Amino acid sequence: MIWKTVLVVCLAVGTLAEYQISDDEREKVKEAIAAQCKKNGAEDKADDVQKAGKTFLECLKAQIDPATIQKEIEEAKPKGALDEVFGKYCARSPQLKSCFNTLIDSVSPCLDSEVRNQAEAVKNGTAQLLDFVCHKDGDRIALFIAEKGPECFKDQAAKLRQCGEPIQKSFSSIEDIKKLSLVEKCQKFDEVSTCLVNALEECPNPTPGNMAESLIKYVRKGSPCNTALPKN
């Protein structure tokens, strides 16, 4: 649970680079980072965190260019060669893991101690996610696209968003979330997960829902929830 939260925060930091935000918004993000670092006794690390966001995005772009991948996917579909496309990019998973690990190490000094102590768990979680997606050189993601997974997500977008609304409305601040016990957090995770899978299962093709369920189970198995709140 914690590693997912940290990754979201880290990706938000990445928007500092120069991507789709105004100067005013960028300044607000910088102020928020400075305040977070000061709160955790690492005021001198704020500049490093800001630079880490840009470095992270540059690291990702060096390995994966979305426009190029989309073009390659479209060209590969008629040929039935999606596995070749994803096999090529999955071969870069060690570099992608390094991108994430460097970012996590860079922002770690400014994170709350509870989260900072879970840095290794965050790295392991990221590695597990990439390993799942790149199983057998990416055959899972190739199958997902071939079986109209992206179309399923698009069709069910409204219902997928609704899955998180009850939780968003039940908490007025991050502090409220921190007060939850691990078991309570895991229960919330399971509620949202079940909702997401149910929404995707409404698609004509069962593959997207099945793959989402497999991914969620895989992630959960590697999280503290696996022992704190075992599932039958």
Side-chain angles (χ1 to χ4, degrees), residues 177-190:
I177 299 176
K178 289 181 178 180
K179 293 176 183 177
L180 294 178
S181 66
L182 177 59
V183 169
E184 289 172 326
K185 291 177 182 176
C186 293
Q187 289 173 334
K188 297 294 184 183
F189 175 78
D190 290 342

Side-chain angles (χ1 to χ4, degrees), residues 60 63-76 82 85-86 88-89 92 96 141 145:
L60 287 186
Q63 304 303 324
I64 300 177
D65 178 65
T68 300
I69 292 178
Q70 186 60 42
K71 182 175 181 291
E72 292 178 354
I73 288 173
E74 294 305 319
E75 292 176 347
L82 284 172
V85 175
F86 292 107
K88 178 178 72 173
Y89 286 104
R92 303 177 185 180
L96 290 171
I141 188 65
I145 290 177

Side-chain angles (χ1 to χ4, degrees), residues 8 50 141 157:
V8 171
Q50 292 168 19
I141 188 65

Side-chain angles (χ1 to χ4, degrees), residues 14-22 25-26 53-54 57-58 61:
T15 60
L16 277 170
E18 65 260 358
Y19 296 87
Q20 305 301 318
I21 62 174
S22 67
E25 290 171 326
R26 185 178 293 107
K54 184 174 182 178
L57 287 178
E58 291 174 345
K61 286 184 67 178

Side-chain angles (χ1 to χ4, degrees), residues 97-162:
K97 291 175 184 177
S98 179
C99 293
F100 280 100
N101 290 346
T102 299
L103 174 64
I104 293 165
D105 288 340
S106 297
V107 304
S108 182
C110 292
L111 298 175
D112 293 343
S113 59
E114 177 187 356
V115 180
R116 187 165 59 247
N117 292 336
Q118 297 295 323
E120 290 306 313
V122 173
K123 293 178 182 178
N124 291 337
T126 304
Q128 288 174 3
L129 183 58
L130 284 171
D131 290 344
F132 179 90
V133 172
C134 286
H135 177 69
K136 292 184 178 179
D137 292 329
D139 67 340
R140 282 175 173 149
I141 188 65
L143 177 63
F144 177 77
I145 290 177
E147 295 296 327
K148 299 187 180 300
E151 291 85 347
C152 175
F153 270 77
K154 183 177 180 180
D155 292 342
Q156 298 300 109
K159 290 185 178 179
L160 293 174
R161 285 194 296 269
Q162 289 173 3

Side-chain angles (χ1 to χ4, degrees), residues 33-57:
I33 291 174
Q36 177 69 19
C37 292
K38 184 176 181 179
K39 172 186 173 185
N40 289 290
E43 190 171 3
D44 60 327
K45 299 295 183 181
D47 287 343
D48 292 340
V49 171
Q50 292 168 19
K51 292 176 183 176
K54 184 174 182 178
T55 300
F56 173 66
L57 287 178

